[in-house]
PDB file of all heavy atoms in Angstrom:
ATOM      1  N   GLY A  36      -0.812 -86.266 -57.401  1.00 97.00           N
ATOM      2  CA  GLY A  36      -0.611 -85.003 -58.113  1.00 97.00           C
ATOM      3  C   GLY A  36      -0.753 -85.128 -59.625  1.00 97.00           C
ATOM      4  O   GLY A  36      -0.404 -84.200 -60.355  1.00 97.00           O
ATOM      5  N   TRP A  37      -1.266 -86.238 -60.103  1.00 98.00           N
ATOM      6  CA  TRP A  37      -1.411 -86.422 -61.551  1.00 98.00           C
ATOM      7  C   TRP A  37      -2.678 -85.751 -62.070  1.00 98.00           C
ATOM      8  O   TRP A  37      -3.724 -85.808 -61.432  1.00 98.00           O
ATOM      9  CB  TRP A  37      -1.453 -87.911 -61.891  1.00 98.00           C
ATOM     10  CG  TRP A  37      -0.126 -88.584 -61.736  1.00 98.00           C
ATOM     11  CD1 TRP A  37       0.343 -89.207 -60.632  1.00 98.00           C
ATOM     12  CD2 TRP A  37       0.904 -88.691 -62.727  1.00 98.00           C
ATOM     13  NE1 TRP A  37       1.600 -89.701 -60.855  1.00 98.00           N
ATOM     14  CE2 TRP A  37       1.968 -89.393 -62.148  1.00 98.00           C
ATOM     15  CE3 TRP A  37       1.047 -88.258 -64.059  1.00 98.00           C
ATOM     16  CZ2 TRP A  37       3.150 -89.691 -62.833  1.00 98.00           C
ATOM     17  CZ3 TRP A  37       2.219 -88.545 -64.744  1.00 98.00           C
ATOM     18  CH2 TRP A  37       3.258 -89.244 -64.137  1.00 98.00           C
ATOM     19  N   LYS A  38      -2.559 -85.150 -63.242  1.00 98.00           N
ATOM     20  CA  LYS A  38      -3.707 -84.579 -63.948  1.00 98.00           C
ATOM     21  C   LYS A  38      -4.033 -85.500 -65.110  1.00 98.00           C
ATOM     22  O   LYS A  38      -3.143 -86.143 -65.668  1.00 98.00           O
ATOM     23  CB  LYS A  38      -3.332 -83.204 -64.509  1.00 98.00           C
ATOM     24  CG  LYS A  38      -3.008 -82.196 -63.438  1.00 98.00           C
ATOM     25  CD  LYS A  38      -4.284 -81.708 -62.830  1.00 98.00           C
ATOM     26  CE  LYS A  38      -4.135 -80.347 -62.207  1.00 98.00           C
ATOM     27  NZ  LYS A  38      -5.397 -79.654 -62.140  1.00 98.00           N
ATOM     28  N   PHE A  39      -5.310 -85.468 -65.492  1.00 98.00           N
ATOM     29  CA  PHE A  39      -5.752 -86.440 -66.496  1.00 98.00           C
ATOM     30  C   PHE A  39      -6.705 -85.796 -67.491  1.00 98.00           C
ATOM     31  O   PHE A  39      -7.546 -84.979 -67.119  1.00 98.00           O
ATOM     32  CB  PHE A  39      -6.471 -87.579 -65.779  1.00 98.00           C
ATOM     33  CG  PHE A  39      -7.003 -88.642 -66.688  1.00 98.00           C
ATOM     34  CD1 PHE A  39      -6.158 -89.609 -67.216  1.00 98.00           C
ATOM     35  CD2 PHE A  39      -8.351 -88.687 -67.021  1.00 98.00           C
ATOM     36  CE1 PHE A  39      -6.641 -90.602 -68.052  1.00 98.00           C
ATOM     37  CE2 PHE A  39      -8.845 -89.678 -67.868  1.00 98.00           C
ATOM     38  CZ  PHE A  39      -7.987 -90.631 -68.376  1.00 98.00           C
ATOM     39  N   HIS A  40      -6.544 -86.183 -68.730  1.00 97.00           N
ATOM     40  CA  HIS A  40      -7.467 -85.662 -69.739  1.00 97.00           C
ATOM     41  C   HIS A  40      -7.750 -86.736 -70.781  1.00 97.00           C
ATOM     42  O   HIS A  40      -6.844 -87.366 -71.300  1.00 97.00           O
ATOM     43  CB  HIS A  40      -6.843 -84.442 -70.421  1.00 97.00           C
ATOM     44  CG  HIS A  40      -7.806 -83.723 -71.311  1.00 97.00           C
ATOM     45  ND1 HIS A  40      -8.863 -82.975 -70.820  1.00 97.00           N
ATOM     46  CD2 HIS A  40      -7.886 -83.655 -72.653  1.00 97.00           C
ATOM     47  CE1 HIS A  40      -9.548 -82.470 -71.834  1.00 97.00           C
ATOM     48  NE2 HIS A  40      -8.983 -82.872 -72.958  1.00 97.00           N
ATOM     49  N   PHE A  47      -0.459 -81.588 -75.549  1.00 98.00           N
ATOM     50  CA  PHE A  47      -0.477 -82.065 -74.164  1.00 98.00           C
ATOM     51  C   PHE A  47       0.917 -82.463 -73.680  1.00 98.00           C
ATOM     52  O   PHE A  47       1.155 -82.595 -72.485  1.00 98.00           O
ATOM     53  CB  PHE A  47      -1.424 -83.260 -73.998  1.00 98.00           C
ATOM     54  CG  PHE A  47      -2.859 -82.974 -74.352  1.00 98.00           C
ATOM     55  CD1 PHE A  47      -3.750 -84.019 -74.614  1.00 98.00           C
ATOM     56  CD2 PHE A  47      -3.336 -81.669 -74.404  1.00 98.00           C
ATOM     57  CE1 PHE A  47      -5.065 -83.763 -74.930  1.00 98.00           C
ATOM     58  CE2 PHE A  47      -4.667 -81.404 -74.725  1.00 98.00           C
ATOM     59  CZ  PHE A  47      -5.532 -82.461 -74.998  1.00 98.00           C
ATOM     60  N   GLN A  49       3.562 -80.666 -74.186  1.00 98.00           N
ATOM     61  CA  GLN A  49       4.411 -79.473 -73.981  1.00 98.00           C
ATOM     62  C   GLN A  49       4.398 -79.020 -72.527  1.00 98.00           C
ATOM     63  O   GLN A  49       3.338 -78.968 -71.891  1.00 98.00           O
ATOM     64  CB  GLN A  49       3.917 -78.329 -74.893  1.00 98.00           C
ATOM     65  CG  GLN A  49       4.109 -78.625 -76.375  1.00 98.00           C
ATOM     66  CD  GLN A  49       5.488 -79.191 -76.687  1.00 98.00           C
ATOM     67  OE1 GLN A  49       6.506 -78.652 -76.216  1.00 98.00           O
ATOM     68  NE2 GLN A  49       5.548 -80.281 -77.439  1.00 98.00           N
ATOM     69  N   PRO A  50       5.570 -78.632 -71.998  1.00 97.00           N
ATOM     70  CA  PRO A  50       5.634 -78.244 -70.585  1.00 97.00           C
ATOM     71  C   PRO A  50       4.785 -77.018 -70.283  1.00 97.00           C
ATOM     72  O   PRO A  50       4.236 -76.889 -69.184  1.00 97.00           O
ATOM     73  CB  PRO A  50       7.116 -77.966 -70.347  1.00 97.00           C
ATOM     74  CG  PRO A  50       7.782 -77.960 -71.684  1.00 97.00           C
ATOM     75  CD  PRO A  50       6.885 -78.649 -72.651  1.00 97.00           C
ATOM     76  N   ASP A  51       4.628 -76.108 -71.258  1.00 97.00           N
ATOM     77  CA  ASP A  51       3.884 -74.887 -70.946  1.00 97.00           C
ATOM     78  C   ASP A  51       2.383 -75.040 -71.222  1.00 97.00           C
ATOM     79  O   ASP A  51       1.627 -74.088 -71.090  1.00 97.00           O
ATOM     80  CB  ASP A  51       4.457 -73.704 -71.738  1.00 97.00           C
ATOM     81  CG  ASP A  51       4.515 -74.004 -73.226  1.00 97.00           C
ATOM     82  OD1 ASP A  51       4.136 -75.147 -73.603  1.00 97.00           O
ATOM     83  OD2 ASP A  51       4.931 -73.134 -74.006  1.00 97.00           O
ATOM     84  N   TYR A  52       1.973 -76.197 -71.593  1.00 98.00           N
ATOM     85  CA  TYR A  52       0.528 -76.415 -71.789  1.00 98.00           C
ATOM     86  C   TYR A  52      -0.180 -76.227 -70.442  1.00 98.00           C
ATOM     87  O   TYR A  52       0.286 -76.722 -69.419  1.00 98.00           O
ATOM     88  CB  TYR A  52       0.263 -77.816 -72.355  1.00 98.00           C
ATOM     89  CG  TYR A  52      -1.211 -78.086 -72.502  1.00 98.00           C
ATOM     90  CD1 TYR A  52      -1.915 -77.589 -73.597  1.00 98.00           C
ATOM     91  CD2 TYR A  52      -1.917 -78.777 -71.506  1.00 98.00           C
ATOM     92  CE1 TYR A  52      -3.284 -77.771 -73.705  1.00 98.00           C
ATOM     93  CE2 TYR A  52      -3.283 -78.972 -71.613  1.00 98.00           C
ATOM     94  CZ  TYR A  52      -3.956 -78.465 -72.717  1.00 98.00           C
ATOM     95  OH  TYR A  52      -5.314 -78.655 -72.815  1.00 98.00           O
ATOM     96  N   ASN A  53      -1.302 -75.544 -70.451  1.00 97.00           N
ATOM     97  CA  ASN A  53      -1.998 -75.273 -69.193  1.00 97.00           C
ATOM     98  C   ASN A  53      -2.982 -76.410 -68.878  1.00 97.00           C
ATOM     99  O   ASN A  53      -4.038 -76.520 -69.494  1.00 97.00           O
ATOM    100  CB  ASN A  53      -2.726 -73.932 -69.313  1.00 97.00           C
ATOM    101  CG  ASN A  53      -3.406 -73.582 -67.997  1.00 97.00           C
ATOM    102  OD1 ASN A  53      -3.337 -74.339 -67.025  1.00 97.00           O
ATOM    103  ND2 ASN A  53      -4.051 -72.418 -67.970  1.00 97.00           N
ATOM    104  N   ASP A  54      -2.619 -77.225 -67.901  1.00 97.00           N
ATOM    105  CA  ASP A  54      -3.479 -78.368 -67.563  1.00 97.00           C
ATOM    106  C   ASP A  54      -4.327 -78.080 -66.308  1.00 97.00           C
ATOM    107  O   ASP A  54      -4.859 -79.010 -65.701  1.00 97.00           O
ATOM    108  CB  ASP A  54      -2.632 -79.633 -67.379  1.00 97.00           C
ATOM    109  CG  ASP A  54      -1.533 -79.474 -66.346  1.00 97.00           C
ATOM    110  OD1 ASP A  54      -1.683 -78.632 -65.433  1.00 97.00           O
ATOM    111  OD2 ASP A  54      -0.519 -80.182 -66.440  1.00 97.00           O
ATOM    112  N   ALA A  55      -4.439 -76.796 -65.961  1.00 96.00           N
ATOM    113  CA  ALA A  55      -5.143 -76.458 -64.717  1.00 96.00           C
ATOM    114  C   ALA A  55      -6.585 -76.955 -64.695  1.00 96.00           C
ATOM    115  O   ALA A  55      -7.107 -77.318 -63.640  1.00 96.00           O
ATOM    116  CB  ALA A  55      -5.110 -74.946 -64.507  1.00 96.00           C
ATOM    117  N   THR A  56      -7.198 -77.019 -65.863  1.00 97.00           N
ATOM    118  CA  THR A  56      -8.614 -77.426 -65.857  1.00 97.00           C
ATOM    119  C   THR A  56      -8.774 -78.958 -65.949  1.00 97.00           C
ATOM    120  O   THR A  56      -9.895 -79.458 -65.939  1.00 97.00           O
ATOM    121  CB  THR A  56      -9.352 -76.797 -67.058  1.00 97.00           C
ATOM    122  OG1 THR A  56      -8.655 -77.205 -68.237  1.00 97.00           O
ATOM    123  CG2 THR A  56      -9.383 -75.280 -66.962  1.00 97.00           C
ATOM    124  N   TRP A  57      -7.651 -79.655 -66.062  1.00 98.00           N
ATOM    125  CA  TRP A  57      -7.771 -81.125 -66.161  1.00 98.00           C
ATOM    126  C   TRP A  57      -8.229 -81.719 -64.835  1.00 98.00           C
ATOM    127  O   TRP A  57      -8.027 -81.119 -63.770  1.00 98.00           O
ATOM    128  CB  TRP A  57      -6.413 -81.752 -66.537  1.00 98.00           C
ATOM    129  CG  TRP A  57      -6.032 -81.577 -67.975  1.00 98.00           C
ATOM    130  CD1 TRP A  57      -6.510 -80.654 -68.852  1.00 98.00           C
ATOM    131  CD2 TRP A  57      -5.057 -82.351 -68.676  1.00 98.00           C
ATOM    132  NE1 TRP A  57      -5.904 -80.794 -70.066  1.00 98.00           N
ATOM    133  CE2 TRP A  57      -5.000 -81.846 -69.992  1.00 98.00           C
ATOM    134  CE3 TRP A  57      -4.218 -83.417 -68.354  1.00 98.00           C
ATOM    135  CZ2 TRP A  57      -4.154 -82.365 -70.964  1.00 98.00           C
ATOM    136  CZ3 TRP A  57      -3.370 -83.945 -69.305  1.00 98.00           C
ATOM    137  CH2 TRP A  57      -3.346 -83.425 -70.609  1.00 98.00           C
ATOM    138  N   ASP A  58      -8.786 -82.914 -64.914  1.00 96.00           N
ATOM    139  CA  ASP A  58      -9.174 -83.627 -63.685  1.00 96.00           C
ATOM    140  C   ASP A  58      -7.920 -84.118 -62.968  1.00 96.00           C
ATOM    141  O   ASP A  58      -6.889 -84.318 -63.598  1.00 96.00           O
ATOM    142  CB  ASP A  58     -10.004 -84.870 -64.036  1.00 96.00           C
ATOM    143  CG  ASP A  58     -11.307 -84.487 -64.692  1.00 96.00           C
ATOM    144  OD1 ASP A  58     -11.663 -83.300 -64.641  1.00 96.00           O
ATOM    145  OD2 ASP A  58     -11.945 -85.388 -65.268  1.00 96.00           O
ATOM    146  N   THR A  59      -8.056 -84.370 -61.667  1.00 97.00           N
ATOM    147  CA  THR A  59      -6.963 -85.098 -60.996  1.00 97.00           C
ATOM    148  C   THR A  59      -7.328 -86.575 -61.022  1.00 97.00           C
ATOM    149  O   THR A  59      -8.509 -86.942 -61.095  1.00 97.00           O
ATOM    150  CB  THR A  59      -6.795 -84.654 -59.533  1.00 97.00           C
ATOM    151  OG1 THR A  59      -8.051 -84.765 -58.905  1.00 97.00           O
ATOM    152  CG2 THR A  59      -6.286 -83.234 -59.437  1.00 97.00           C
ATOM    153  N   ILE A  60      -6.299 -87.411 -60.956  1.00 98.00           N
ATOM    154  CA  ILE A  60      -6.568 -88.853 -61.058  1.00 98.00           C
ATOM    155  C   ILE A  60      -5.588 -89.623 -60.179  1.00 98.00           C
ATOM    156  O   ILE A  60      -4.447 -89.183 -59.986  1.00 98.00           O
ATOM    157  CB  ILE A  60      -6.496 -89.323 -62.530  1.00 98.00           C
ATOM    158  CG1 ILE A  60      -7.106 -90.719 -62.685  1.00 98.00           C
ATOM    159  CG2 ILE A  60      -5.045 -89.305 -63.051  1.00 98.00           C
ATOM    160  CD1 ILE A  60      -7.527 -91.061 -64.098  1.00 98.00           C
ATOM    161  N   ARG A  81      -0.516 -86.007 -66.727  1.00 98.00           N
ATOM    162  CA  ARG A  81       0.592 -85.038 -66.574  1.00 98.00           C
ATOM    163  C   ARG A  81       0.876 -84.813 -65.096  1.00 98.00           C
ATOM    164  O   ARG A  81      -0.032 -84.811 -64.267  1.00 98.00           O
ATOM    165  CB  ARG A  81       0.205 -83.687 -67.210  1.00 98.00           C
ATOM    166  CG  ARG A  81       0.326 -83.645 -68.729  1.00 98.00           C
ATOM    167  CD  ARG A  81      -0.317 -82.386 -69.277  1.00 98.00           C
ATOM    168  NE  ARG A  81       0.309 -81.166 -68.787  1.00 98.00           N
ATOM    169  CZ  ARG A  81       1.230 -80.463 -69.443  1.00 98.00           C
ATOM    170  NH1 ARG A  81       1.640 -80.846 -70.642  1.00 98.00           N
ATOM    171  NH2 ARG A  81       1.735 -79.356 -68.926  1.00 98.00           N
ATOM    172  N   ILE A  82       2.152 -84.557 -64.815  1.00 98.00           N
ATOM    173  CA  ILE A  82       2.521 -84.193 -63.445  1.00 98.00           C
ATOM    174  C   ILE A  82       3.678 -83.196 -63.501  1.00 98.00           C
ATOM    175  O   ILE A  82       4.521 -83.261 -64.406  1.00 98.00           O
ATOM    176  CB  ILE A  82       2.897 -85.445 -62.608  1.00 98.00           C
ATOM    177  CG1 ILE A  82       2.927 -85.114 -61.118  1.00 98.00           C
ATOM    178  CG2 ILE A  82       4.224 -86.045 -63.044  1.00 98.00           C
ATOM    179  CD1 ILE A  82       2.990 -86.350 -60.210  1.00 98.00           C
ATOM    180  N   HIS A  83       3.683 -82.243 -62.550  1.00 98.00           N
ATOM    181  CA  HIS A  83       4.759 -81.251 -62.430  1.00 98.00           C
ATOM    182  C   HIS A  83       5.581 -81.652 -61.211  1.00 98.00           C
ATOM    183  O   HIS A  83       5.012 -81.827 -60.125  1.00 98.00           O
ATOM    184  CB  HIS A  83       4.180 -79.852 -62.215  1.00 98.00           C
ATOM    185  CG  HIS A  83       3.294 -79.404 -63.344  1.00 98.00           C
ATOM    186  ND1 HIS A  83       3.613 -78.376 -64.180  1.00 98.00           N
ATOM    187  CD2 HIS A  83       2.102 -79.880 -63.783  1.00 98.00           C
ATOM    188  CE1 HIS A  83       2.652 -78.218 -65.082  1.00 98.00           C
ATOM    189  NE2 HIS A  83       1.716 -79.124 -64.855  1.00 98.00           N
ATOM    190  N   GLU A 165      11.455 -77.241 -62.021  1.00 97.00           N
ATOM    191  CA  GLU A 165      10.235 -77.990 -62.339  1.00 97.00           C
ATOM    192  C   GLU A 165      10.408 -78.790 -63.634  1.00 97.00           C
ATOM    193  O   GLU A 165      10.993 -78.313 -64.604  1.00 97.00           O
ATOM    194  CB  GLU A 165       9.059 -77.029 -62.496  1.00 97.00           C
ATOM    195  CG  GLU A 165       7.779 -77.810 -62.697  1.00 97.00           C
ATOM    196  CD  GLU A 165       6.556 -76.929 -62.837  1.00 97.00           C
ATOM    197  OE1 GLU A 165       6.223 -76.575 -63.980  1.00 97.00           O
ATOM    198  OE2 GLU A 165       5.942 -76.635 -61.801  1.00 97.00           O
ATOM    199  N   VAL A 167       8.070 -81.388 -66.287  1.00 98.00           N
ATOM    200  CA  VAL A 167       6.715 -81.864 -66.582  1.00 98.00           C
ATOM    201  C   VAL A 167       6.829 -83.228 -67.261  1.00 98.00           C
ATOM    202  O   VAL A 167       7.484 -83.367 -68.296  1.00 98.00           O
ATOM    203  CB  VAL A 167       5.956 -80.875 -67.491  1.00 98.00           C
ATOM    204  CG1 VAL A 167       4.573 -81.446 -67.849  1.00 98.00           C
ATOM    205  CG2 VAL A 167       5.808 -79.535 -66.798  1.00 98.00           C
TER     206      VAL A 167
END
Side-chain angles (χ1 to χ4, degrees):
W37 288 92
K38 296 283 204 156
F39 179 79
H40 189 71
F47 300 162
Q49 294 314 313
D51 54 358
Y52 177 80
N53 183 359
D54 56 26
T56 57
W57 285 20
D58 296 347
T59 53
I60 194 159
R81 281 169 61 97
I82 195 168
H83 300 247
E165 185 179 91
V167 177

